[in-house]
Coordinates of all heavy atoms in Angstrom, one line a residue:
M1 N 166.3 125.3 121.2 CA 165.0 124.9 120.5 C 164.8 125.8 119.3 O 164.9 127.0 119.3 CB 163.9 125.1 121.5 CG 162.6 124.4 121.1 SD 161.3 124.7 122.4 CE 161.5 123.3 123.4
T2 N 164.5 125.1 118.2 CA 164.3 125.9 116.9 C 162.9 126.5 116.9 O 162.1 126.1 117.8 CB 164.5 124.9 115.7 OG1 163.4 124.0 115.7 CG2 165.8 124.2 115.7
M3 N 162.7 127.3 115.9 CA 161.4 128.0 115.8 C 160.3 126.9 115.6 O 159.2 127.0 116.2 CB 161.4 129.0 114.8 CG 162.1 130.3 115.2 SD 161.9 131.7 114.1 CE 160.1 132.0 114.2
N4 N 160.6 125.9 114.8 CA 159.6 124.8 114.5 C 159.3 124.1 115.8 O 158.1 123.7 116.1 CB 160.1 123.9 113.5 CG 159.9 124.4 112.1 OD1 159.2 125.4 111.9 ND2 160.5 123.8 111.1
E5 N 160.3 123.8 116.6 CA 160.1 123.1 117.9 C 159.3 123.9 118.9 O 158.5 123.4 119.6 CB 161.5 122.7 118.5 CG 162.2 121.6 117.7 CD 163.6 121.4 118.2 OE1 164.2 122.3 118.7 OE2 164.1 120.2 118.1
E6 N 159.6 125.2 118.9 CA 158.9 126.2 119.7 C 157.4 126.2 119.3 O 156.5 126.2 120.2 CB 159.5 127.5 119.7 CG 160.8 127.6 120.5 CD 161.4 129.0 120.4 OE1 160.7 130.0 120.1 OE2 162.6 129.1 120.6
A7 N 157.2 126.3 118.0 CA 155.8 126.4 117.5 C 155.1 125.1 117.9 O 153.9 125.1 118.3 CB 155.8 126.6 116.0
Y8 N 155.7 124.0 117.7 CA 155.1 122.7 118.0 C 154.8 122.6 119.5 O 153.7 122.2 119.9 CB 156.1 121.6 117.6 CG 155.6 120.2 117.9 CD1 154.6 119.6 117.2 CD2 156.1 119.5 119.0 CE1 154.1 118.3 117.5 CE2 155.6 118.2 119.4 CZ 154.6 117.7 118.6 OH 154.1 116.4 118.9
Q9 N 155.8 123.0 120.3 CA 155.5 123.0 121.8 C 154.4 123.9 122.2 O 153.6 123.5 123.0 CB 156.8 123.3 122.5 CG 156.7 123.2 124.0 CD 156.4 121.7 124.4 OE1 157.0 120.8 123.9 NE2 155.4 121.6 125.3
Y10 N 154.4 125.1 121.6 CA 153.3 126.0 121.9 C 151.9 125.4 121.5 O 151.0 125.4 122.2 CB 153.5 127.3 121.1 CG 152.3 128.3 121.3 CD1 152.2 129.0 122.5 CD2 151.4 128.4 120.3 CE1 151.2 129.9 122.7 CE2 150.3 129.3 120.5 CZ 150.2 130.1 121.7 OH 149.2 130.9 121.9
Q11 N 151.9 124.7 120.3 CA 150.6 124.1 119.8 C 150.2 122.9 120.8 O 149.1 122.8 121.1 CB 150.8 123.6 118.4 CG 149.5 123.0 117.8 CD 148.4 124.0 117.7 OE1 148.6 125.1 117.3 NE2 147.2 123.6 118.1
M12 N 151.2 122.2 121.2 CA 150.9 121.1 122.1 C 150.4 121.6 123.5 O 149.4 121.0 124.0 CB 152.2 120.2 122.4 CG 152.6 119.4 121.1 SD 151.4 118.3 120.5 CE 151.4 117.1 121.9
D13 N 151.0 122.7 124.0 CA 150.5 123.3 125.2 C 149.1 123.8 125.1 O 148.3 123.7 126.0 CB 151.5 124.4 125.7 CG 152.8 123.9 126.1 OD1 153.0 122.6 126.3 OD2 153.8 124.7 126.2
D14 N 148.9 124.5 123.9 CA 147.6 125.0 123.7 C 146.5 123.9 123.6 O 145.4 124.1 124.1 CB 147.6 125.8 122.4 CG 146.4 126.7 122.2 OD1 146.0 127.4 123.1 OD2 145.9 126.8 121.0
D15 N 146.9 122.8 122.9 CA 145.9 121.7 122.8 C 145.7 121.1 124.1 O 144.5 120.7 124.4 CB 146.5 120.6 121.8 CG 146.5 121.1 120.4 OD1 145.9 122.1 120.0 OD2 147.2 120.4 119.6
A16 N 146.7 121.0 125.0 CA 146.5 120.4 126.3 C 145.6 121.3 127.1 O 144.7 120.8 127.9 CB 147.8 120.2 127.0
Q17 N 145.8 122.6 127.0 CA 144.9 123.5 127.8 C 143.5 123.4 127.3 O 142.5 123.4 128.1 CB 145.4 124.9 127.7 CG 144.6 125.9 128.4 CD 145.1 127.3 128.3 OE1 146.1 127.6 127.8 NE2 144.3 128.3 128.9
F18 N 143.3 123.3 126.0 CA 141.9 123.2 125.5 C 141.3 121.9 125.9 O 140.1 121.9 126.4 CB 142.0 123.2 123.9 CG 140.6 123.0 123.3 CD1 139.7 124.1 123.2 CD2 140.3 121.8 122.8 CE1 138.5 123.9 122.7 CE2 139.0 121.6 122.2 CZ 138.1 122.6 122.1
E19 N 142.0 120.8 125.9 CA 141.5 119.6 126.4 C 141.1 119.6 127.8 O 140.1 119.1 128.2 CB 142.4 118.4 126.1 CG 142.6 118.1 124.6 CD 141.2 117.6 124.0 OE1 140.5 116.9 124.6 OE2 141.0 118.0 122.8
A20 N 141.9 120.2 128.6 CA 141.6 120.4 130.1 C 140.4 121.2 130.3 O 139.5 120.9 131.1 CB 142.8 121.0 130.8
E21 N 140.2 122.3 129.5 CA 139.1 123.1 129.7 C 137.8 122.3 129.2 O 136.8 122.5 129.9 CB 139.2 124.4 128.8 CG 140.2 125.4 129.4 CD 140.6 126.5 128.4 OE1 140.1 126.5 127.2 OE2 141.4 127.4 128.8
Q22 N 137.9 121.6 128.2 CA 136.8 120.8 127.7 C 136.4 119.7 128.7 O 135.2 119.5 128.9 CB 137.1 120.1 126.3 CG 137.1 121.1 125.2 CD 135.8 121.8 125.0 OE1 134.8 121.2 124.8 NE2 135.8 123.1 125.1
E23 N 137.4 119.1 129.3 CA 137.1 118.1 130.4 C 136.4 118.7 131.5 O 135.4 118.2 132.1 CB 138.4 117.4 130.8 CG 138.1 116.4 131.9 CD 137.2 115.2 131.5 OE1 137.0 115.0 130.3 OE2 136.7 114.5 132.4
E24 N 136.8 119.9 131.9 CA 136.1 120.6 133.0 C 134.7 121.0 132.7 O 133.8 120.8 133.5 CB 136.9 121.9 133.4 CG 136.3 122.6 134.6 CD 137.1 123.9 135.0 OE1 138.3 124.0 134.5 OE2 136.6 124.7 135.7
L25 N 134.5 121.5 131.5 CA 133.1 121.8 131.0 C 132.3 120.5 130.9 O 131.1 120.5 131.3 CB 133.2 122.5 129.6 CG 133.7 123.9 129.6 CD1 133.8 124.4 128.2 CD2 132.7 124.8 130.4
R26 N 132.9 119.4 130.5 CA 132.1 118.1 130.4 C 131.7 117.7 131.8 O 130.5 117.3 132.0 CB 133.0 117.0 129.8 CG 132.2 115.7 129.6 CD 133.2 114.6 129.3 NE 134.0 114.2 130.5 CZ 133.5 113.5 131.5 NH1 132.3 113.1 131.6 NH2 134.3 113.2 132.5
E27 N 132.5 117.8 132.8 CA 132.2 117.4 134.1 C 131.0 118.3 134.7 O 130.1 117.8 135.3 CB 133.4 117.5 135.0 CG 134.4 116.4 134.8 CD 135.7 116.6 135.6 OE1 135.7 117.5 136.5 OE2 136.6 115.8 135.3
I28 N 131.1 119.6 134.4 CA 130.1 120.5 134.9 C 128.7 120.2 134.2 O 127.7 120.1 134.8 CB 130.5 122.0 134.6 CG1 131.6 122.4 135.5 CG2 129.3 122.9 134.8 CD1 132.3 123.7 135.1
A29 N 128.8 120.0 132.8 CA 127.6 119.8 132.1 C 126.9 118.4 132.5 O 125.7 118.4 132.7 CB 127.9 119.7 130.6
C30 N 127.8 117.4 132.7 CA 127.2 116.1 133.1 C 126.6 116.2 134.5 O 125.5 115.6 134.7 CB 128.3 115.0 133.0 SG 128.8 114.6 131.3
A31 N 127.2 116.9 135.4 CA 126.6 117.0 136.7 C 125.3 117.8 136.7 O 124.3 117.4 137.3 CB 127.6 117.8 137.7
K32 N 125.3 118.9 135.9 CA 124.0 119.7 135.8 C 122.9 118.8 135.1 O 121.8 118.8 135.6 CB 124.2 120.9 135.0 CG 124.9 122.0 135.7 CD 125.0 123.3 134.8 CE 125.6 124.4 135.6 NZ 124.5 125.3 136.1
Y33 N 123.3 118.1 134.1 CA 122.4 117.2 133.4 C 121.8 116.1 134.3 O 120.6 115.9 134.3 CB 123.0 116.6 132.2 CG 122.1 115.8 131.3 CD1 121.1 116.4 130.6 CD2 122.3 114.4 131.2 CE1 120.2 115.6 129.8 CE2 121.4 113.6 130.4 CZ 120.4 114.3 129.7 OH 119.6 113.5 128.9
E34 N 122.7 115.6 135.1 CA 122.2 114.6 136.1 C 121.2 115.1 137.0 O 120.2 114.4 137.4 CB 123.4 114.0 136.9 CG 123.2 112.7 137.5 CD 124.5 112.2 138.1 OE1 125.4 111.9 137.3 OE2 124.5 112.0 139.3
D35 N 121.3 116.3 137.4 CA 120.3 117.0 138.3 C 119.1 117.4 137.5 O 118.0 117.4 138.0 CB 120.9 118.2 139.0 CG 122.0 117.8 140.0 OD1 122.0 116.7 140.5 OD2 122.8 118.7 140.4
Y36 N 119.3 117.9 136.3 CA 118.3 118.5 135.5 C 117.3 117.5 134.9 O 116.1 117.8 134.8 CB 118.9 119.4 134.4 CG 117.9 120.2 133.6 CD1 117.3 121.3 134.2 CD2 117.6 119.8 132.3 CE1 116.4 122.1 133.4 CE2 116.7 120.5 131.6 CZ 116.1 121.7 132.1 OH 115.2 122.4 131.4
K37 N 117.9 116.4 134.4 CA 117.1 115.4 133.6 C 115.9 114.9 134.4 O 114.8 114.9 133.8 CB 117.9 114.3 133.1 CG 117.2 113.3 132.2 CD 118.0 112.2 131.7 CE 117.4 111.3 130.7 NZ 116.0 110.9 131.0
P38 N 116.0 114.5 135.7 CA 114.8 114.1 136.4 C 113.7 115.2 136.5 O 112.5 114.9 136.4 CB 115.3 113.6 137.8 CG 116.8 113.4 137.6 CD 117.2 114.3 136.5
L39 N 114.2 116.4 136.7 CA 113.2 117.5 136.8 C 112.5 117.7 135.5 O 111.3 117.9 135.4 CB 114.0 118.8 137.2 CG 113.2 120.1 137.2 CD1 112.1 120.0 138.2 CD2 114.1 121.3 137.4
L40 N 113.2 117.7 134.4 CA 112.6 117.8 133.1 C 111.7 116.7 132.8 O 110.5 116.9 132.3 CB 113.7 117.9 132.0 CG 113.3 118.1 130.6 CD1 112.5 119.4 130.5 CD2 114.5 118.2 129.6
D41 N 112.0 115.5 133.1 CA 111.2 114.3 132.9 C 109.9 114.5 133.7 O 108.8 114.2 133.2 CB 111.9 113.0 133.3 CG 112.9 112.6 132.3 OD1 112.9 113.1 131.1 OD2 113.8 111.8 132.6
E42 N 110.0 114.9 135.0 CA 108.8 115.2 135.8 C 107.9 116.3 135.2 O 106.7 116.1 135.2 CB 109.2 115.5 137.2 CG 108.1 115.7 138.2 CD 107.2 114.4 138.4 OE1 107.8 113.3 138.3 OE2 106.0 114.6 138.6
M43 N 108.5 117.3 134.7 CA 107.8 118.4 134.1 C 107.0 117.9 132.9 O 105.9 118.3 132.6 CB 108.7 119.6 133.8 CG 109.2 120.3 135.0 SD 110.5 121.5 134.7 CE 109.8 122.6 133.5
I44 N 107.7 117.1 132.1 CA 107.0 116.5 130.9 C 105.8 115.7 131.3 O 104.7 115.8 130.8 CB 108.0 115.7 130.1 CG1 109.0 116.6 129.4 CG2 107.3 114.8 129.0 CD1 110.2 115.9 128.8
K45 N 106.0 114.8 132.3 CA 104.9 113.9 132.8 C 103.8 114.8 133.3 O 102.6 114.6 133.0 CB 105.4 113.0 133.9 CG 104.4 112.0 134.4 CD 104.9 111.2 135.5 CE 103.9 110.3 136.2 NZ 102.7 110.9 136.6
H46 N 104.1 115.8 134.1 CA 103.1 116.7 134.7 C 102.3 117.4 133.6 O 101.1 117.5 133.7 CB 103.7 117.7 135.7 CG 102.7 118.6 136.3 ND1 101.8 118.1 137.2 CD2 102.5 119.9 136.1 CE1 101.1 119.2 137.6 NE2 101.4 120.2 137.0
S47 N 103.0 117.9 132.6 CA 102.3 118.6 131.5 C 101.3 117.7 130.8 O 100.2 118.1 130.4 CB 103.3 119.2 130.5 OG 103.9 118.3 129.8
L48 N 101.6 116.4 130.6 CA 100.7 115.5 130.1 C 99.5 115.2 131.0 O 98.3 115.1 130.6 CB 101.4 114.1 129.7 CG 102.1 114.1 128.4 CD1 102.8 112.7 128.3 CD2 101.2 114.3 127.3
D49 N 99.8 115.0 132.3 CA 98.8 114.8 133.3 C 97.7 115.8 133.3 O 96.5 115.6 133.5 CB 99.4 114.6 134.7 CG 100.2 113.3 134.8 OD1 100.1 112.4 134.0 OD2 101.0 113.2 135.8
I50 N 98.1 117.1 133.2 CA 97.2 118.2 133.2 C 96.7 118.6 131.9 O 96.0 119.6 131.7 CB 97.7 119.4 134.1 CG1 98.9 120.0 133.4 CG2 98.0 118.9 135.5 CD1 99.4 121.2 134.1
G51 N 97.2 118.0 130.8 CA 96.7 118.2 129.5 C 97.2 119.5 128.8 O 96.6 120.1 127.9
Q52 N 98.4 120.0 129.2 CA 99.0 121.1 128.6 C 99.9 120.7 127.5 O 101.2 120.5 127.6 CB 99.8 122.0 129.6 CG 98.9 122.7 130.6 CD 99.7 123.6 131.5 OE1 100.9 123.4 131.7 NE2 99.1 124.6 132.0
I53 N 99.3 120.5 126.3 CA 100.1 119.9 125.2 C 101.1 120.9 124.7 O 102.2 120.5 124.3 CB 99.1 119.5 124.0 CG1 98.1 118.5 124.5 CG2 99.8 119.0 122.8 CD1 98.7 117.2 125.1
D54 N 100.8 122.2 124.6 CA 101.8 123.2 124.2 C 103.1 123.1 125.1 O 104.2 123.1 124.6 CB 101.3 124.6 124.2 CG 100.2 124.8 123.1 OD1 100.2 124.0 122.2 OD2 99.4 125.8 123.2
M55 N 102.9 123.0 126.4 CA 104.0 122.9 127.3 C 104.7 121.6 127.1 O 106.0 121.6 127.1 CB 103.5 123.1 128.8 CG 104.6 123.0 129.8 SD 105.9 124.2 129.6 CE 105.0 125.6 130.3
Y56 N 104.0 120.5 126.9 CA 104.6 119.2 126.7 C 105.5 119.3 125.5 O 106.7 118.9 125.5 CB 103.5 118.2 126.5 CG 104.0 116.9 126.0 CD1 104.6 116.0 126.8 CD2 103.9 116.5 124.6 CE1 105.1 114.7 126.4 CE2 104.4 115.3 124.2 CZ 105.0 114.4 125.1 OH 105.5 113.2 124.6
E57 N 105.0 119.9 124.4 CA 105.8 120.0 123.1 C 107.1 120.8 123.3 O 108.1 120.5 122.9 CB 105.0 120.5 122.0 CG 103.9 119.5 121.5 CD 102.9 120.1 120.5 OE1 103.0 121.3 120.3 OE2 102.1 119.3 120.0
L58 N 106.9 121.9 124.1 CA 108.1 122.8 124.4 C 109.1 122.0 125.2 O 110.3 122.1 124.9 CB 107.6 124.0 125.1 CG 108.7 125.0 125.6 CD1 109.4 125.6 124.4 CD2 108.1 126.1 126.5
L59 N 108.6 121.3 126.2 CA 109.6 120.5 127.0 C 110.3 119.4 126.3 O 111.5 119.2 126.5 CB 108.8 120.0 128.3 CG 108.3 121.0 129.3 CD1 107.4 120.4 130.3 CD2 109.5 121.6 130.0
I60 N 109.5 118.8 125.4 CA 110.2 117.7 124.6 C 111.2 118.3 123.7 O 112.3 117.8 123.5 CB 109.1 116.9 123.8 CG1 108.2 116.1 124.7 CG2 109.7 116.1 122.7 CD1 108.9 115.0 125.4
D61 N 110.9 119.5 123.0 CA 111.9 120.2 122.2 C 113.1 120.5 123.0 O 114.2 120.4 122.5 CB 111.3 121.4 121.6 CG 110.3 121.1 120.5 OD1 110.2 119.9 120.0 OD2 109.5 122.0 120.1
S62 N 112.9 121.0 124.2 CA 114.0 121.4 125.1 C 114.9 120.2 125.4 O 116.1 120.2 125.4 CB 113.5 122.1 126.4 OG 112.9 123.3 126.1
K63 N 114.2 119.1 125.7 CA 114.9 117.8 126.1 C 115.7 117.4 124.9 O 116.9 117.0 125.1 CB 113.9 116.8 126.6 CG 114.6 115.5 127.0 CD 113.6 114.5 127.5 CE 114.2 113.2 127.9 NZ 113.3 112.2 128.4
D64 N 115.1 117.4 123.7 CA 115.8 116.9 122.5 C 117.1 117.8 122.2 O 118.1 117.3 121.9 CB 114.9 116.9 121.3 CG 113.8 115.9 121.4 OD1 114.0 114.9 122.2 OD2 112.9 116.0 120.6
K65 N 116.9 119.1 122.4 CA 118.0 120.0 122.1 C 119.1 119.8 123.1 O 120.3 119.8 122.7 CB 117.5 121.5 122.2 CG 118.5 122.5 121.8 CD 117.9 123.9 121.7 CE 118.9 124.9 121.2 NZ 118.3 126.2 121.1
L66 N 118.8 119.7 124.4 CA 119.8 119.4 125.4 C 120.5 118.1 125.2 O 121.7 118.0 125.3 CB 119.1 119.4 126.8 CG 120.0 119.1 128.0 CD1 121.2 120.1 128.0 CD2 119.2 119.2 129.3
E67 N 119.8 117.1 124.8 CA 120.4 115.8 124.6 C 121.3 115.8 123.3 O 122.4 115.2 123.3 CB 119.3 114.7 124.4 CG 118.7 114.3 125.7 CD 117.6 113.3 125.7 OE1 117.1 113.0 124.5 OE2 117.1 112.9 126.7
K68 N 121.0 116.7 122.4 CA 121.8 116.8 121.2 C 123.1 117.5 121.6 O 124.2 117.1 121.2 CB 121.1 117.7 120.1 CG 121.9 117.9 118.9 CD 121.1 118.6 117.8 CE 121.8 118.7 116.5 NZ 122.3 120.0 116.2
F69 N 123.0 118.6 122.4 CA 124.3 119.2 122.9 C 125.1 118.2 123.6 O 126.4 118.2 123.4 CB 123.9 120.4 123.9 CG 123.4 121.6 123.2 CD1 122.4 122.4 123.9 CD2 123.9 122.1 122.0 CE1 121.9 123.5 123.3 CE2 123.4 123.2 121.4 CZ 122.4 124.0 122.1
M70 N 124.5 117.4 124.5 CA 125.3 116.5 125.3 C 125.9 115.4 124.4 O 127.1 115.1 124.5 CB 124.4 115.8 126.3 CG 123.9 116.8 127.4 SD 125.1 117.6 128.4 CE 125.6 116.2 129.4
S71 N 125.2 114.9 123.4 CA 125.7 113.8 122.6 C 126.8 114.3 121.6 O 127.7 113.6 121.2 CB 124.6 113.2 121.8 OG 124.1 114.0 120.8
E72 N 126.8 115.6 121.3 CA 127.8 116.2 120.4 C 128.9 116.8 121.1 O 129.7 117.6 120.5 CB 127.1 117.2 119.4 CG 126.1 116.5 118.5 CD 125.4 117.4 117.5 OE1 125.6 118.6 117.6 OE2 124.7 116.9 116.7
S73 N 129.0 116.6 122.4 CA 130.0 117.2 123.3 C 130.1 118.7 123.2 O 131.2 119.3 123.3 CB 131.4 116.6 122.9 OG 131.4 115.2 123.1
E74 N 129.0 119.3 123.1 CA 128.9 120.8 123.1 C 128.6 121.2 124.5 O 127.5 121.7 124.9 CB 127.9 121.3 122.1 CG 128.3 121.0 120.7 CD 127.3 121.6 119.7 OE1 126.7 122.7 120.0 OE2 127.1 121.0 118.6
W75 N 129.6 121.1 125.4 CA 129.5 121.2 126.8 C 129.0 122.6 127.2 O 128.1 122.8 128.0 CB 130.7 120.8 127.6 CG 131.3 119.5 127.2 CD1 132.5 119.2 126.7 CD2 130.6 118.2 127.2 NE1 132.6 117.9 126.4 CE2 131.5 117.3 126.7 CE3 129.3 117.8 127.5 CZ2 131.1 115.9 126.6 CZ3 129.0 116.5 127.4 CH2 129.9 115.6 126.9
Q76 N 129.7 123.6 126.6 CA 129.4 125.0 127.0 C 127.9 125.3 126.6 O 127.2 126.0 127.4 CB 130.4 126.0 126.3 CG 130.2 127.4 126.8 CD 130.5 127.7 128.2 OE1 131.5 127.2 128.7 NE2 129.7 128.4 128.9
S77 N 127.5 124.9 125.4 CA 126.2 125.2 125.0 C 125.1 124.5 125.9 O 124.1 125.0 126.2 CB 126.0 124.7 123.5 OG 126.8 125.4 122.6
A78 N 125.5 123.2 126.3 CA 124.6 122.5 127.2 C 124.4 123.2 128.5 O 123.3 123.4 129.0 CB 125.1 121.1 127.4
I79 N 125.5 123.7 129.1 CA 125.5 124.4 130.3 C 124.7 125.7 130.2 O 123.8 125.9 131.1 CB 126.9 124.7 130.8 CG1 127.7 123.4 131.2 CG2 126.9 125.7 132.0 CD1 129.2 123.6 131.4
E80 N 124.9 126.4 129.2 CA 124.2 127.7 129.0 C 122.7 127.4 128.8 O 121.8 128.1 129.3 CB 124.8 128.5 127.8 CG 126.1 129.0 128.1 CD 126.8 129.6 126.9 OE1 126.3 129.6 125.8 OE2 128.0 130.0 127.0
F81 N 122.4 126.4 128.0 CA 121.0 126.0 127.8 C 120.3 125.6 129.1 O 119.2 126.1 129.3 CB 120.9 124.9 126.8 CG 119.5 124.6 126.3 CD1 118.8 125.4 125.5 CD2 118.9 123.4 126.7 CE1 117.6 125.1 125.0 CE2 117.6 123.1 126.2 CZ 117.0 124.0 125.4
M82 N 120.9 124.8 129.9 CA 120.3 124.4 131.2 C 120.1 125.6 132.1 O 119.1 125.8 132.7 CB 121.1 123.3 131.8 CG 120.9 121.9 131.2 SD 121.8 120.6 132.0 CE 123.4 120.8 131.4
D83 N 121.1 126.4 132.2 CA 121.1 127.6 133.0 C 119.9 128.5 132.6 O 119.2 129.1 133.4 CB 122.4 128.4 133.0 CG 123.5 127.7 133.8 OD1 123.2 126.8 134.5 OD2 124.6 128.1 133.6
K84 N 119.8 128.7 131.3 CA 118.7 129.5 130.7 C 117.3 129.0 131.0 O 116.4 129.7 131.4 CB 118.9 129.7 129.2 CG 117.8 130.6 128.5 CD 118.1 130.6 127.0 CE 116.9 131.4 126.4 NZ 117.0 131.3 124.9
L85 N 117.2 127.7 130.9 CA 115.9 127.0 131.2 C 115.5 127.1 132.7 O 114.4 127.3 133.0 CB 115.9 125.6 130.8 CG 115.9 125.3 129.3 CD1 116.0 123.8 129.0 CD2 114.6 125.8 128.6
L86 N 116.5 127.1 133.5 CA 116.3 127.1 135.0 C 116.0 128.5 135.4 O 115.4 128.7 136.5 CB 117.5 126.5 135.7 CG 117.7 125.0 135.6 CD1 118.9 124.6 136.3 CD2 116.5 124.3 136.1
E87 N 116.3 129.5 134.6 CA 116.0 130.9 135.0 C 114.5 131.2 134.9 O 114.0 132.1 135.6 CB 116.7 131.9 134.1 CG 118.2 132.0 134.4 CD 118.9 132.9 133.4 OE1 118.3 133.5 132.5 OE2 120.1 133.0 133.5
V88 N 113.8 130.6 133.9 CA 112.4 130.9 133.6 C 111.5 130.5 134.7 O 111.6 129.8 135.6 CB 112.0 130.1 132.3 CG1 110.5 130.3 132.0 CG2 112.9 130.5 131.2

């Protein structure tokens, strides 16, 4: 195997590992989002029901940010964001 072939094979292996890691993160993020979204929707509804507009706006901003992470395939950011929100 020449150096170019070795470099190409290394790059292909590296790309395959990256894709596998991204797929694993996607699965984790999607599972967390599936659990988290109904809770967030309920919290948004409740904040309106009791008239907490500041909380409503914060929750809407959080939902928008999370949906942006998910739509842009930023799986690690989405996971970290959901974990952070659930700590509070």
Side-chain angles (χ1 to χ4, degrees):
M1 195 178 270
T2 68
M3 287 192 62
N4 281 345
E5 290 172 331
E6 287 178 22
Y8 177 76
Q9 186 60 45
Y10 177 78
Q11 184 64 43
M12 293 299 290
D13 292 346
D14 194 44
D15 290 349
Q17 181 179 352
F18 176 78
E19 288 300 320
E21 290 169 356
Q22 287 299 301
E23 179 60 21
E24 183 178 346
L25 288 173
R26 184 194 70 76
E27 289 174 6
I28 293 167
C30 289
K32 281 183 176 263
Y33 183 69
E34 198 171 296
D35 291 340
Y36 185 77
K37 187 177 181 322
L39 174 63
L40 185 58
D41 288 342
E42 184 61 32
M43 290 169 58
I44 290 169
K45 181 184 177 309
H46 180 71
S47 67
L48 278 177
D49 291 345
I50 63 174
Q52 289 188 335
I53 301 305
D54 291 342
M55 179 59 76
Y56 170 79
E57 291 172 353
L58 177 65
L59 291 167
I60 291 294
D61 288 345
S62 295
K63 183 177 180 179
D64 290 346
K65 186 172 184 177
L66 179 56
E67 288 176 352
K68 183 176 186 249
F69 286 144
M70 296 297 287
S71 70
E72 294 178 356
S73 301
E74 294 185 29
W75 310 123
Q76 186 66 43
S77 296
I79 292 167
E80 291 170 1
F81 187 71
M82 284 183 278
D83 288 346
K84 182 180 173 188
L85 288 175
L86 291 174
E87 287 177 4
V88 176

